[in-house]
Amino acid sequence: EAAVTQSPRNKVAVTGGKVTLSCNQTNNHNNMYWYRQDTGHGLRLIHYSYGAGSTEKGDIPDGYKASRPSQENFSLILELATPSQTSVYFCASGDVDGNTEVFFGKGTRLTVV
Amino acid sequence: SQLAEENSWALSVHEGESVTVNCSYKTSITALQWYRQKSGKGPAQLILIRSNERHNRNGRLRATLDTSSQSSSLSITATRCEDTAVYFCARDYGSSGNKLIFGTGTLFSVKP
């Protein structure tokens, strides 16, 4: 069974603080993705990665950085968190390209106060 | 702009009825996928349909693809209460097809 694990599952952060969301996959997939989900917007792509050492900007990268230190791990970093970044964040992994299934984690609910 | 977009925000049916969710997209695709997201969980794939296919089936679910009109539909027959979820279409995008872009989703409710 494909497994994508996110941590933490819930996080409250203060405005201006640094937040790191972590994601681990045991699928040996090349591609990993970070999405945020907000009511009325569906899932929006923040950053993605083709493999260890690579990160690419998605559709809404402003205010976010990403890091892929290994095949298994992909982090999303908010250097200076803002209330507008309050959302549910999903990590996902997939093999090769958008022509195959993508497996999602359970999500991280981030509240920036 | 949306690269994959469902055509309804919300649908509601009674258990046992059938329902269809539609999706349109704006540029050529390699494949289109349908995902379901239940409350409090991440999305999970239901069906993948490639650009050279016209339909695909997974149990009570059937997806169609019309590349000439750039649209897809997901039909669910004999609906059950556990089918209540948000349904997304998603498409590959980018020069290498590595990005997966989702529509805004359709909230589908099945009433007893």
Side-chain angles (χ1 to χ4, degrees):
Chain A
E1 175 90 9
V4 179
T5 304
Q6 294 182 231
S7 62
R9 293 294 315 281
N10 291 281
K11 172 76 176 178
V12 178
V14 295
T15 298
K18 181 177 180 178
V19 177
T20 300
L21 306 183
S22 299
C23 179
N24 175 273
Q25 56 111 348
T26 58
N27 310 317
N28 198 32
H29 286 155
N30 292 322
N31 293 352
M32 294 187 75
Y33 308 85
W34 276 106
Y35 293 87
R36 64 177 283 177
Q37 185 172 35
D38 305 286
T39 303
H41 290 281
L43 290 154
R44 292 183 289 174
L45 184 62
I46 306 171
H47 284 288
Y48 62 108
S49 168
Y50 296 129
S54 89
T55 60
E56 304 288 337
K57 293 180 179 179
D59 296 322
I60 53 164
D62 294 344
Y64 303 93
K65 292 183 179 179
S67 173
R68 182 88 181 270
S70 64
Q71 179 83 340
E72 298 78 20
N73 295 297
F74 189 38
S75 297
L76 185 69
I77 303 153
L78 291 66
E79 295 279 3
L80 294 169
T82 68
S84 65
Q85 294 175 312
T86 293
S87 187
V88 180
Y89 292 85
F90 286 97
C91 176
S93 75
D95 196 16
V96 184
D97 57 32
N99 199 11
T100 55
E101 183 175 357
V102 170
F103 296 89
F104 282 82
K106 295 183 177 180
T108 295
R109 183 173 295 278
L110 174 65
T111 303
V112 183
V113 298
Chain B
S1 62
Q2 292 292 333
L3 298 176
E5 188 171 305
E6 299 82 4
N7 293 350
S8 300
W9 284 104
L11 296 169
S12 179
V13 299
H14 287 97
E15 203 167 21
E17 295 178 341
S18 298
V19 67
T20 297
V21 180
N22 296 303
C23 168
S24 59
Y25 57 93
K26 296 180 180 177
T27 56
S28 63
I29 60 172
T30 301
L32 189 129
Q33 304 185 40
W34 285 94
Y35 283 77
R36 176 174 64 192
Q37 184 180 24
K38 296 198 172 183
S39 180
K41 304 208 171 166
Q45 190 199 62
L46 296 173
I47 290 181
L48 180 150
I49 182 165
R50 293 184 169 81
S51 59
N52 62 349
E53 298 175 322
R54 290 297 167 259
H55 56 85
N56 205 349
R57 184 180 289 275
N58 179 8
R60 295 182 293 110
L61 309 174
R62 184 175 186 266
T64 65
L65 181 65
D66 184 341
T67 53
S68 62
S69 64
Q70 297 186 318
S71 64
S72 175
S73 68
L74 175 70
S75 297
I76 309 173
T77 58
T79 55
R80 304 168 182 167
C81 289
E82 55 261 37
D83 293 329
T84 294
V86 178
Y87 290 78
F88 296 94
C89 61
R91 54 147 302 161
D92 61 293
Y93 184 69
S95 58
S96 303
N98 274 293
K99 293 168 62 172
L100 191 62
I101 303 297
F102 284 77
T104 52
T106 295
L107 175 59
F108 175 54
S109 301
V110 181
K111 301 176 182 178

